[in-house]
Amino acid sequence: MLNLSHMRSELSEHYDLAPSPEVAETLKDVYARMDRVVTPPDWVTYAPYVKAISELKKKRNAVILGHNYMTPEIFHGVSDFVGDSLQLAMKASDVEADVIVQAGVHFMAETSKILSPQKTVLMPDMDAGCSLAESITAEGIDEMRAKYPGAPVVTYVNTTAAVKAASDICCTSSNALQIVNAMESDTVIMTPDQYLAQNIANQSHKNVVYWPGSCIVHEQYTAQDLRDFREWNPGTRLIAHPECPPDVVAEADFSGSTSGILKYVTDEKPERAMLITECSMASNIADELPEVDFVGPCNMCPYMKKISLEKILWVLHTGENEVFVDPDVAEKARLSVQAMIDLSRKLGL
Ligand code: 13P
Ligand code: SF4
């Protein structure tokens, strides 16, 4: 567990982190990517961190992989590559750097380490977990195999390395349907997200059986919420992530992964849109799409929100919070993740 006051006093000895209008001005091009959602006084506070992180990245030959759910100052301010779980996994496998800082949650850092064992992978906060990853162990996979003998196990990347190692292939919300459909067996086991599995089952000819895990952010939405949103703001395009329950997805105008959501809004440019997903998603795309008015709600992922500029600077400064995966587990997990990447590339996803 990080001691915040120790971290702050140590960092302030090495870097000038006081709010600075001068530094904010020198980084005005960076600010322009988020000025619709970050206020000028906040930028004056963030800019010295952005400057220090950028300098340290060069010194350490490090890259920051930022998930779409990071806050805008991380997403636009310091990330070298941004995207959904699939895009970040693919980037981790081919990016040239000595160090990867994973601005996301722990399973993403493990995935990066599995794909790039020779690189140092750092997590700004080791407690940035995921309710889905916590919902299942490798024994859970064995249980499902015993219940459905011969059925392949398609496991969401939101899982630990040990669970990936026990599975046949991974998937993300971008490629889950295509991966399930590509399995030879009629029955396919999906773990650990029951809602993603049910949403895929509704679009696939396969008999999809699943583990009862869920995402604490997306499971909160109800179909009634969406009907209420529509009544409150008629004409708003409702766009839901497939980790939402199936009746929520049925009520939405579109459902897709975080990159699928970005593509849909970019192509359609609705006048008003409500993203039924983690809160930062809308903030991160607001500047790119000035013609779209993004309206509530704002459900935050408590794990993603553990990541901050300060903690990113800390791990780059100290090298603390290195992520290790047992080499035997990593070797087996790599087969599942690589099988997903290979199939996704083959399918042009
Ligand atoms: P994607 O970015 O793959 O859509 O996943 C969302 C998510 O919840 C990651 O934790
Ligand atoms: Fe896990 Fe849900 Fe948070 Fe994504 S949003 S990291 S699935 S808890």
Side-chain angles (χ1 to χ4, degrees):
M1 177 84 79
L2 284 175
N3 178 328
L4 284 180
S5 47
H6 164 69
M7 180 172 84
R8 277 177 197 158
S9 66
E10 168 86 15
L11 285 176
S12 60
E13 276 178 31
H14 293 85
Y15 308 94
D16 189 359
L17 298 172
S20 166
E22 293 75 29
V23 178
E25 176 61 22
T26 61
L27 293 172
K28 63 175 190 290
D29 292 351
V30 181
Y31 180 52
R33 296 180 218 145
M34 59 188 118
D35 61 0
R36 206 176 152 197
V37 289
V38 172
T39 64
D42 281 339
W43 181 242
V44 166
T45 308
Y46 295 143
Y49 285 88
V50 171
K51 178 172 180 270
I53 290 169
S54 304
E55 288 168 4
L56 213 43
K57 273 196 302 192
K58 283 195 198 109
K59 215 163 133 187
R60 303 261 189 273
N61 190 22
V63 292
I64 298 181
L65 303 186
H67 186 262
N68 289 331
Y69 293 163
M70 288 294 101
T71 45
E73 71 281 6
I74 295 174
F75 186 89
H76 292 294
V78 296
S79 298
D80 298 282
F81 302 98
V82 292
D84 69 4
S85 308
L86 179 63
Q87 291 166 325
L88 295 186
M90 286 173 152
K91 191 44 79 182
S93 75
D94 53 35
V95 69
E96 280 187 25
D98 294 324
V99 178
I100 291 176
V101 177
Q102 198 81 37
V105 291
H106 193 269
F107 75 80
M108 296 176 177
E110 273 195 345
T111 306
S112 294
K113 185 68 186 174
I114 289 164
L115 292 169
S116 285
Q118 73 290 356
K119 289 179 194 138
T120 300
V121 178
L122 303 175
M123 257 315 278
D125 189 322
M126 286 296 203
D127 292 331
C130 168
S131 64
L132 281 168
E134 285 156 18
S135 75
I136 189 165
T137 60
E139 287 71 38
I141 301 288
D142 296 342
E143 250 177 64
M144 293 299 277
R145 286 198 196 274
K147 222 162 142 186
Y148 302 99
V153 178
V154 177
T155 285
Y156 201 28
V157 284
N158 298 38
T159 43
T160 61
V163 169
K164 289 182 176 82
S167 306
D168 296 303
I169 187 165
C170 286
C171 73
T172 71
S173 44
S174 289
N175 57 21
L177 178 62
Q178 292 84 348
I179 299 234
V180 166
N181 283 345
M183 296 296 105
E184 278 180 14
S185 158
D186 283 342
T187 297
V188 177
I189 300 167
M190 279 191 84
T191 70
D193 188 348
Q194 59 182 308
Y195 297 130
L196 177 69
Q198 289 167 29
N199 287 319
I200 296 301
N202 287 341
Q203 302 167 68
S204 170
H205 53 284
K206 301 283 183 186
N207 171 34
V208 179
V209 292
Y210 50 84
W211 185 259
S214 53
C215 161
I216 53 167
V217 176
H218 295 94
E219 71 178 355
Q220 287 180 51
Y221 293 104
T222 66
Q224 188 57 46
D225 287 339
L226 270 71
R227 288 191 285 272
D228 291 346
F229 293 147
R230 267 196 214 286
E231 202 180 302
W232 165 63
N233 217 326
T236 302
R237 210 73 69 86
L238 301 181
I239 303 156
H241 193 278
E243 288 172 12
C244 293
D247 58 341
V248 170
V249 167
E251 204 60 57
D253 297 296
F254 173 79
S255 172
S257 68
T258 54
S259 61
I261 291 173
L262 171 60
K263 182 169 180 340
Y264 177 84
V265 188
T266 307
D267 291 349
E268 295 279 316
K269 295 201 175 47
E271 205 174 302
R272 226 172 307 109
M274 189 178 284
L275 306 192
I276 313 299
T277 189
E278 213 274 347
C279 192
S280 290
M281 181 75 211
S283 314
N284 288 334
I285 62 179
D287 271 73
E288 262 174 65
L289 295 160
E291 54 281 84
V292 183
D293 182 18
F294 291 97
V295 290
C298 188
N299 280 355
M300 288 200 248
C301 172
Y303 305 107
M304 292 278 183
K305 265 43 217 187
K306 283 187 181 292
I307 309 303
S308 63
L309 288 176
E310 198 173 38
K311 291 179 192 171
I312 291 173
L313 180 58
W314 178 252
V315 294
L316 274 170
H317 174 70
T318 60
E320 276 183 17
N321 290 358
E322 183 168 355
V323 173
F324 295 101
V325 181
D326 175 89
D328 291 339
V329 174
E331 205 179 307
K332 290 191 190 123
R334 194 174 311 121
L335 295 176
S336 298
V337 179
Q338 199 57 52
M340 167 189 81
I341 292 179
D342 293 346
L343 189 53
S344 298
R345 287 204 167 119
K346 193 170 146 204
L347 297 169
L349 300 172

